[in-house]
Amino acid sequence: MTAEVKRVYAFGKDAEGNNVTEGNTNMKAILGGKGANLAEMANIGLPVPPGFTITCQTCMEYANADNTWPEGALDTIHEYRLDLEKRIGKKIGDAEDPLLVSVRSGAPMSMPGMMDTVLNLGLNDQSINGLIKQTENPRFAWDSYRRFIQMFSNVVMGLDGDLFENAINVMKNSRKAASDTDLTAEDLQELVAEFKKIFSENVSGVEYPSLLVDGVVAFPQDPMVQLKLAIEAVFGSWNNPRAVLYRKKNKIADDLGTAVNVQSMVFGNKGNSSATGVAFTRNPANGQKEFYGDYLVNAQGEDVVAGIRNTSPIAELKHVEGLEEAGKQLEEIFVVLENHFRDMCDIEFTIEQGKLYMLQTRVGKRTAAAALHIAIEMEKEGLISKEEAVMRVEPEQLDQLLHPQFDKNAEYDVLARGLNASPGAAVGEAVFSAADAVAAAEAGRKCVLVRWETNPDDLAGMIAAEGILTSHGGKTSHAAVIARGMGAPCVCGVEALKIDAEKKQAVVSGTDVVIKEGDMISLDGTTGIVVLGAVELVLPELTGDLDTILEWADEFRTLGVRANADNPEDAQLSRDFGAQGIGLCRTEHMFLGDRKQIIQTFILNDDEDVRQKAVDQLFEAQTGDFYGMFKAMDGLPVIVRLLDPPLHEFLESPRALDVEIARLEATGGDKGVIAEKRALMEQIDAMAEANPMLGLRGCRLGIVYPILPVMQVRAIATAAAQLKKEGLDPKPEIMIPLVSVVPELAKLREVAEQTIAEVAAEQGVELDIQIGTMIELPRAAVTADEIATKADFFSFGTNDLTQTTFGFSRDDVEAEFIPQYLQERLLPFNPFATVDPGVAKLVKMGVELGHQGNPDLTCGVCGEHGGDPDSIHTFNAIGLDYVSCSPYRVPLARLAAGQAAIEAKKAQ
Ligand code: PEP
Ligand code: MG
């Protein structure tokens, strides 16, 4: 810890009403997001209950020292506790007028619901009397005490929450009470005794010797013991499995730690002039400028998020008797916060007997549609610049907008409706637990997770499912918040669903429908509709806000964006998405289906005539393919790569043949057929290579079988000539793969040039077709100056370049050991997804050397990394001319390239 970073920072006011806050919003790495913004709200004069924040660094020191407190830390916390008591004028645990505190986690990056919180801390057998005296509300006091014991036992001691829920249900049944609120003060007092008994019976005295009183475990009465254990639990929750999983999914570093906020409690459950709620300053689902959120009268914060009671919309708050003033003040604060943070904010608040308190604010999570709309509106409102608007949308989020939707022409009956919590449509088998969702996904089956309401333990299932459906909870419930963050479709609060998770079924009230596990269901998170059966899904068009942001991104970006496409439909789609050309047409993809037979004939026959006939057939087919491609991309470059994969990829698997032969033999099959199959198997076996990815593929194929590149180049040139004659402007380019030495490229270039010249002469048109190469082998990258003398362009094949730089088999290692490497942090990320710095160095070297060999060289990238935002930043910095990616990544690549340019400009 550096000298300037203290262990604990105060926020809020002192007894005289002076602001004594020590932090601010820029200190998220120290105070966590929640602590930094509580400080900021106090600094700008908003009503924040006083408290203090223990730093993230203290959490990490504690964790790194095997859960041992750093020297002096507990003393400092004790001092700040005393100071807080002085500021408030109340003491924790006091029998007359006790101070109660909340203990909440708050990491530098938002991790909603992933870590722990304890409320009402400070209650004990003494202070309960003080609380009764002060509130003159014994029911409220006993309810607070039982909530505290329940939460403390569950969160801090790890006891099963059901132990307490069962005790409540037993009590409710015996009192014939329909709801918790029907229980009296006496009932709750009895529950407190019962809860303490549960605590004593279930907490291990061996594990917690400090809790032993006369040899028996007792619920801790000393507030400092309560506080210490609660802080330790929050520290510990940084490393709970769901938090670790969330960090991995959201690429959050493990060494940030969480801060702990100890804050004086305010109560939203002190009667009908009290309330609690969560809200957004704009609609986080669609970005509309409206106050958005839910509140509950006479309730505590977790009740809103847990979806236990159905909430009311925030816009109604200022019309509720006793809450009018607070409601109006809250709306004013929404505006203050937006202007201050210059972004949509997400807020937690509590109203205690008519007085409003702000408990949290942060920049709110939003759907992609909302991110676009808010960025554009805020630019129009003059709140942010165009550059900032472009920076406000996460490229990966755009995937949400390209998510499937119900086909408008599909016919279906709406089974039930709920809240449209997270957009996009999903179809899958109904599953009723997170574990079943994970199992279905692992078995390759699409599923929809159906839950009463999700909780953080469901995270793995939520990730595995196509969509999420809940019967309870509002738009700010756990399911809604998490689904929006993940971009997963979600419909929540479908009250008609009566879910029986144990029986794995849901009855739909008002119908005779029972959804059973495995039944196909469809949901539309954009409209809130649930349908029994599989609805046809379609992909949405790109219009409106997305177009605007992409056009703004285009204004800033210098990196071109092309697409990897190998059929006219994908070419057209990528053009519609804004691709400026085709960066890679993999011709091997044109050799599938019926064409496979023809190429097999070519490979397996030595007879020149048979071979020539096969090649002629391929020429016809390929000319048609290229004609369609060049037409769809009229006026834009289309890079066609000559055949690349090992030839036996087009042949049947010898293993499958072996099995078939055995089967034929066992069933007395035709001897002639068996002999034929055996000969074929032997022929294919003879062609097998030990390392086909390092074998006869790429340009080596063209050198061994020159008839193939001649056929392909002829087809390219013929299609181009035909289109030229039709008055179009085809711009094909020919790319030679897997080159490692100049003579390979020189030889194939010569073949291509000669063929183009022949076709031009035959067709009577001028053909200007560029010829370039892929750089996908380290040798090519380090001798790029030589290679560039024979190339008009380079396209970096970073898939193979990653494979050959690391010596990692691209087809195997992602399943084999990369997960373990990532787990153990031997690699910071998967190098096949995001370009590795070592590979990027080779690309940089290739670009620099390449320009020495040919100053007019065009350089792009067409490996998968071309569609990865982080890699796009790297390629932008290297100075490539374009990236090329799959059609659906084109919008994302345009945005990421715009952002990279803006950041580069800022860094200058
Ligand atoms: C590459 O290697 O990056 C590339 C684009 O080619 P392919 O994936 O077809 O090998
Ligand atoms: Mg390759």
Side-chain angles (χ1 to χ4, degrees):
M1 212 166 71
T2 61
E4 310 85 68
V5 178
K6 306 197 300 165
R7 286 212 183 280
V8 185
Y9 289 74
F11 60 81
K13 295 184 173 173
D14 66 11
E16 283 77 48
N18 303 312
N19 178 27
V20 294
T21 303
E22 298 175 300
N24 62 55
T25 191
N26 299 321
M27 294 171 66
K28 293 197 178 72
I30 298 167
L31 302 178
K34 187 180 303 217
N37 281 354
L38 279 168
E40 189 74 4
M41 285 199 290
N43 286 336
I44 61 173
L46 301 186
V48 172
F52 57 86
T53 305
I54 304 155
T55 63
C56 300
Q57 288 66 28
T58 307
C59 168
M60 284 320 291
E61 278 185 64
Y62 174 84
N64 292 339
D66 229 355
N67 297 346
T68 310
W69 280 92
E71 217 183 296
L74 280 169
D75 294 337
T76 312
I77 292 170
H78 192 67
E79 277 165 31
Y80 271 82
R81 172 203 154 177
L82 295 177
D83 173 65
L84 180 64
E85 290 179 339
K86 207 165 118 205
R87 287 197 274 149
I88 307 256
K90 294 182 184 186
K91 284 190 171 5
I92 306 183
D94 191 74
E96 289 299 316
D97 186 9
L99 166 65
L100 303 186
V101 293
S102 61
V103 179
R104 293 172 195 262
S105 58
M109 318 288 270
S110 165
M111 295 172 55
M114 295 302 138
M115 289 176 297
D116 290 339
T117 285
V118 182
L119 303 177
N120 300 328
L121 191 137
L123 274 171
N124 60 19
D125 294 347
Q126 303 304 314
S127 59
I128 178 73
N129 299 318
L131 193 62
I132 293 172
K133 206 181 273 177
Q134 291 302 321
T135 59
E136 294 174 4
N137 188 342
R139 191 191 178 283
F140 161 78
W142 285 111
D143 192 37
S144 301
Y145 198 11
R146 75 95 193 154
R147 281 172 188 261
F148 172 50
I149 300 173
Q150 192 172 349
M151 212 169 195
F152 190 92
S153 304
N154 179 236
V155 169
V156 180
M157 313 308 289
L159 300 191
D160 184 350
D162 282 352
L163 292 169
F164 300 90
E165 287 301 334
N166 290 342
I168 295 174
N169 284 334
V170 168
M171 169 73 76
K172 272 181 3 193
N173 287 340
S174 80
R175 303 295 191 268
K176 304 218 170 355
S179 124
D180 295 9
T181 46
D182 297 329
L183 296 176
T184 64
E186 290 71 31
D187 295 337
L188 292 164
Q189 184 173 1
E190 219 174 282
L191 266 184
V192 164
E194 180 61 27
F195 280 12
K196 284 203 237 164
K197 202 161 138 239
I198 295 173
F199 186 93
S200 301
E201 286 169 0
N202 289 282
V203 171
S204 150
V206 179
E207 217 179 311
Y208 293 98
S210 64
L211 299 183
L212 288 170
V213 177
D214 299 334
V216 179
V217 168
F219 187 78
Q221 295 291 312
D222 178 345
M224 200 54 202
V225 171
Q226 293 177 354
L227 187 59
K228 176 173 166 283
L229 286 171
I231 295 169
E232 286 172 357
V234 176
F235 280 170
S237 68
W238 174 252
N239 283 323
N240 74 33
R242 61 176 194 251
V244 172
L245 177 65
Y246 185 91
R247 288 201 294 275
K248 198 174 283 167
K249 186 161 163 31
N250 291 281
K251 293 187 182 165
I252 299 174
D254 284 331
D255 60 358
L256 299 177
T258 179
V260 181
N261 297 290
V262 178
Q263 187 174 25
S264 50
M265 286 286 298
V266 285
F267 295 93
N269 53 345
K270 269 193 185 171
N272 286 342
S273 62
S274 299
T276 187
V278 290
F280 292 85
T281 54
R282 300 192 189 209
N283 184 325
N286 62 20
Q288 295 298 325
K289 194 170 182 182
E290 63 189 3
F291 302 135
Y292 181 97
D294 314 284
Y295 72 92
L296 276 174
V297 173
N298 198 11
Q300 271 199 332
E302 76 271 20
D303 299 343
V304 181
V305 187
I308 292 163
R309 282 161 55 190
N310 282 326
T311 52
S312 308
I314 202 83
E316 289 174 8
L317 185 64
K318 62 174 185 275
H319 304 299
V320 177
E321 206 184 315
L323 299 173
E324 297 95 336
E325 278 312 307
K328 274 188 223 148
Q329 191 193 354
L330 185 64
E331 292 195 355
E332 283 161 20
I333 288 176
F334 285 164
V335 178
V336 170
L337 284 173
E338 266 212 354
N339 287 336
H340 185 74
F341 287 100
R342 300 167 63 247
D343 206 342
M344 179 191 82
C345 296
D346 156 354
I347 287 153
E348 282 179 25
F349 67 90
T350 281
I351 300 168
E352 182 181 295
Q353 295 179 323
K355 182 158 172 31
L356 173 69
Y357 293 95
M358 303 302 292
L359 300 186
Q360 172 165 320
T361 192
R362 62 187 167 201
V363 167
K365 287 198 185 296
R366 62 205 76 183
T367 63
L372 291 168
H373 196 67
I374 291 169
I376 293 167
E377 291 284 301
M378 287 193 166
E379 194 271 344
K380 283 192 197 142
E381 289 163 26
L383 216 53
I384 59 174
S385 67
K386 228 180 211 186
E387 282 96 329
E388 281 175 300
V390 170
M391 297 304 294
R392 286 278 170 93
V393 183
E394 275 178 42
E396 288 289 0
Q397 264 198 316
L398 295 189
D399 254 3
Q400 278 180 41
L401 290 179
L402 309 172
H403 267 174
Q405 295 176 346
F406 282 0
D407 184 347
K408 288 197 175 55
N409 302 317
E411 284 187 13
Y412 53 83
D413 292 323
V414 175
L415 178 64
R417 282 176 197 275
L419 299 171
N420 51 341
S422 180
V427 177
E429 297 175 7
V431 290
F432 293 87
S433 74
D436 287 338
V438 171
E442 278 174 359
R445 300 194 318 271
K446 295 189 167 176
C447 65
V448 170
L449 179 61
V450 185
R451 301 286 283 154
W452 189 72
E453 160 60 331
T454 59
N455 64 54
D457 290 335
D458 289 329
L459 187 65
M462 296 172 80
I463 294 169
E466 299 293 306
I468 297 143
L469 178 59
T470 71
S471 60
H472 269 68
K475 285 189 195 169
T476 45
S477 63
H478 180 266
V481 170
I482 297 296
R484 273 201 299 273
M486 297 194 311
C490 172
V491 176
C492 67
V494 184
E495 291 182 25
L497 281 187
K498 303 293 168 230
I499 297 169
D500 186 334
E502 229 160 65
K503 281 197 192 152
K504 300 190 175 185
Q505 65 175 42
V507 177
V508 184
S509 45
T511 73
D512 51 9
V513 173
V514 181
I515 302 173
K516 297 213 170 68
E517 187 182 43
D519 288 351
M520 287 305 273
I521 53 171
S522 307
L523 61 87
D524 185 344
T526 315
T527 55
I529 285 173
V530 184
V531 175
L532 187 62
V535 176
E536 194 74 27
L537 301 185
V538 290
L539 283 153
E541 284 171 24
L542 288 190
T543 51
D545 291 340
L546 179 56
D547 262 352
T548 306
I549 285 286
L550 291 181
E551 278 165 21
W552 290 358
D554 289 346
E555 285 175 28
F556 300 111
R557 79 180 156 92
T558 49
L559 195 60
V561 175
R562 298 188 189 180
N564 294 355
D566 34 61
N567 59 63
E569 295 74 36
D570 281 357
Q572 186 59 52
L573 183 70
S574 53
R575 186 169 195 153
D576 295 343
F577 282 159
Q580 296 157 294
I582 299 296
L584 173 63
C585 169
R586 290 179 165 106
T587 49
E588 55 271 22
H589 292 176
M590 297 165 161
F591 285 33
L592 304 173
D594 298 346
R595 319 260 180 92
K596 206 165 161 181
Q597 277 295 328
I598 314 175
I599 185 94
Q600 283 182 355
T601 307
F602 171 85
I603 300 166
L604 296 170
N605 273 284
D606 288 337
D607 184 319
E608 281 309 314
D609 289 344
V610 177
R611 278 199 156 175
Q612 186 61 51
K613 203 165 149 238
V615 169
D616 289 346
Q617 281 177 300
L618 287 174
F619 168 75
E620 286 303 320
Q622 287 258 270
T623 308
D625 293 331
F626 296 138
Y627 178 87
M629 290 286 295
F630 303 160
K631 194 169 180 178
M633 298 306 286
D634 186 40
L636 296 177
V638 178
I639 298 185
V640 181
R641 179 178 72 187
L642 303 185
L643 207 57
D644 179 47
L647 279 188
H648 59 73
E649 276 195 14
F650 296 108
L651 301 176
E652 284 176 66
S653 126
R655 220 159 126 208
L657 274 171
D658 204 12
V659 170
E660 203 185 334
I661 292 165
R663 191 181 54 77
L664 284 170
E665 283 176 342
T667 55
D670 186 301
K671 288 217 163 48
V673 174
I674 295 174
E676 219 174 86
K677 299 246 176 219
R678 193 179 296 285
L680 178 63
M681 186 177 80
E682 281 165 8
Q683 199 183 356
I684 295 173
D685 264 342
M687 294 178 71
E689 296 175 279
N691 288 312
M693 277 305 231
L694 301 177
L696 182 56
R697 56 168 294 215
C699 64
R700 304 159 200 171
L701 268 181
I703 287 163
V704 174
Y705 300 100
I707 194 172
L708 286 176
V710 169
M711 176 276 290
Q712 288 201 294
V713 173
R714 183 163 268 281
I716 293 166
T718 306
Q722 210 165 316
L723 285 163
K724 275 204 147 180
K725 285 190 206 163
E726 290 170 25
L728 274 80
D729 182 21
K731 285 192 155 58
E733 299 180 12
I734 290 167
M735 179 152 75
I736 294 160
L738 218 72
V739 161
S740 48
V741 291
V742 185
E744 288 173 322
L745 179 58
K747 180 168 178 158
L748 289 173
R749 185 178 180 108
E750 203 180 307
V751 169
E753 278 174 342
Q754 206 175 330
T755 309
I756 295 167
E758 281 167 21
V759 175
E762 283 161 24
Q763 302 280 340
V765 289
E766 229 176 81
L767 291 174
D768 177 18
I769 299 178
Q770 300 223 319
I771 300 168
T773 183
M774 294 195 71
I775 303 289
E776 44 191 346
L777 296 172
R779 192 187 189 285
V782 300
T783 58
D785 46 348
E786 294 165 30
I787 293 193
T789 58
K790 295 287 173 198
D792 301 322
F793 63 85
F794 279 176
S795 181
F796 289 85
T798 45
N799 302 333
D800 274 312
L801 194 55
T802 302
Q803 167 166 266
T804 49
T805 300
F806 277 91
F808 282 172
S809 163
R810 61 190 264 192
D811 296 326
D812 303 306
V813 299
E814 282 177 274
E816 270 172 357
F817 59 79
I818 285 200
Q820 189 182 337
Y821 268 45
L822 298 177
Q823 186 82 32
E824 294 183 17
R825 305 265 169 180
L826 299 178
L827 282 173
F829 50 77
N830 176 355
F832 287 103
T834 297
V835 70
D836 162 73
V839 175
K841 228 179 202 178
L842 283 172
V843 174
K844 189 165 188 274
M845 187 185 286
V847 172
E848 284 168 4
L849 289 174
H851 281 102
Q852 288 175 22
N854 174 4
D856 298 327
L857 192 77
T858 307
C859 292
V861 63
C862 62
E864 285 311 300
H865 306 92
D868 169 65
D870 291 340
S871 309
I872 289 172
H873 281 251
T874 305
F875 297 137
N876 188 69
I878 288 174
L880 287 184
D881 295 300
Y882 67 85
V883 293
S884 189
C885 55
S886 62
Y888 282 107
R889 304 293 280 185
V890 166
L892 171 156
R894 285 169 65 193
L895 179 60
Q899 294 182 342
I902 291 168
E903 275 186 359
K905 205 167 110 194
K906 256 201 302 196
Q908 269 171 13

